[in-house]
Amino acid sequence: MTIKHSKYKNTGILFELLVRQITADTLSGVESPATNILKKYFGKTELGREYRLYESLFKYTNISEAKAEMVVSTIVESSKQLNRSVLKRQKYNLIKEIKNHYNLDEFFKIKLPNYKIQAATYTLIETYGGDQLLNPDQIIENKTVLLEHLTQSNINKKEVKENILEEFRQQDKDVRVLAYRVLLEKFNDKYVNLNINQKNVLKEFINSVDNTTKLKEFYNTKVNEIKEHLLEMNSSVTNPAIQVKIKEVVNILPTLGKTDKAGDDQLINLLQYYQLIEELEIAK
């Protein structure tokens, strides 16, 4: 599941807009209702606790990637301790009170320089704080934004992805099974129903999530079986174009080495190869 960003629910944005509103009211020579709103909702409240997580992102700049990783991890872990129902109620009451004093369209139309960072923080916190399936791609995108902000340098997304997948590997089996289902959603967008071979592959990946050696052996065995199957098919195929396609696939089919691990990419690869075999069977 992908979390949609909402500036109306983003604690960091709400705080910053209130501060800017206080400044605008003061410069206009009027008493600012935003001052009391800020004190009421961002003091010793659940909303105040969450804001301090956003605030911590702007306390550090030009730090090492290792320290940046620690900052982001701390924010994520701390966010899990928040009372979500209390937080939801406080945000609702906050918006209601802002609406009583200001035009919401005018209040939220101000462009913030750190909007992208605030949005990434919101979606990351909501992703880990909810009870829905995690979306690895969204986590990678948001975490990369935060790491680049903290380090003030470009971050290798591949390394971020590997770190996140390693995080999944360290979680209990049920959580990792859910993660695999998320990956399969993309596959099922194109291929609605899994065939018997694809189901067997998925079953093995789920059952062996805690046994990397067994999973690698399974993957390599299946790759060799697919190669043999394709070569047998090629001998009976009469269409030259299909013959070329089969040879290309056989040549690029990779097996895993001693230090390699079977993960999400390998799962999707096997599913796609078996889908290809099914399509070739129909076409020949």
Side-chain angles (χ1 to χ4, degrees), residues 72-256:
V72 174
S73 296
T74 301
I75 289 171
V76 168
E77 290 305 313
S78 298
S79 71
K80 294 177 183 178
Q81 308 303 316
L82 295 170
N83 188 319
R84 311 302 297 185
S85 59
V86 172
L87 195 57
K88 183 178 180 181
R89 184 170 65 252
Q90 289 178 355
K91 286 183 182 180
Y92 173 82
N93 290 334
L94 170 59
I95 294 297
K96 185 178 179 181
E97 194 152 346
I98 291 173
K99 188 177 180 181
N100 288 337
H101 295 281
Y102 301 101
N103 179 297
L104 284 185
D105 290 335
E106 290 294 318
F107 183 84
F108 281 100
K109 79 175 185 179
I110 299 173
K111 293 184 178 181
L112 301 176
N114 295 316
Y115 183 89
K116 186 177 181 181
I117 299 164
Q118 303 275 31
T121 306
Y122 170 85
T123 49
L124 197 63
I125 288 176
E126 292 300 312
T127 298
Y128 280 97
D131 55 3
Q132 301 294 326
L133 299 181
L134 300 181
N135 183 334
D137 287 339
Q138 187 176 32
I139 295 173
I140 292 166
E141 287 296 326
N142 292 323
K143 193 171 181 182
T144 301
V145 169
L146 298 185
L147 291 176
E148 289 184 343
H149 159 70
L150 291 166
T151 61
Q152 296 294 298
S153 61
N154 293 328
I155 297 293
N156 188 330
K157 280 190 180 181
K158 186 177 180 181
E159 290 182 4
V160 176
K161 178 180 179 182
E162 289 174 354
N163 289 337
I164 290 171
L165 294 179
E166 184 61 33
E167 177 186 326
F168 285 163
R169 293 187 187 100
Q170 293 171 359
Q171 295 172 352
D172 61 51
K173 185 176 178 179
D174 290 340
V175 175
R176 288 187 56 204
V177 169
L178 292 179
Y180 277 133
R181 288 178 183 171
V182 170
L183 291 168
L184 284 173
E185 287 179 5
K186 289 184 178 181
F187 186 84
N188 283 329
D189 285 341
K190 186 174 181 180
Y191 307 109
V192 179
N193 298 312
L194 299 179
N195 60 43
I196 186 64
N197 286 319
Q198 291 169 324
K199 288 179 180 178
N200 288 336
V201 167
L202 177 58
K203 181 180 178 181
E204 186 62 33
F205 265 72
I206 290 175
N207 290 337
S208 302
V209 289
D210 297 320
N211 191 332
T212 55
T213 301
K214 183 181 178 183
L215 205 54
K216 182 166 66 176
E217 290 175 354
F218 172 80
Y219 175 79
N220 284 340
T221 298
K222 286 301 174 183
V223 166
N224 290 326
E225 287 178 2
I226 291 170
K227 283 183 178 181
E228 290 178 9
H229 193 141
L230 289 172
L231 290 173
E232 288 176 6
M233 288 180 63
N234 211 23
S235 61
S236 59
V237 170
T238 56
N239 187 318
I242 294 178
Q243 285 182 332
V244 171
K245 186 175 183 179
I246 290 175
K247 287 180 181 179
E248 288 177 350
V249 172
V250 170
N251 289 333
I252 64 171
L253 272 173
T255 54
L256 297 174

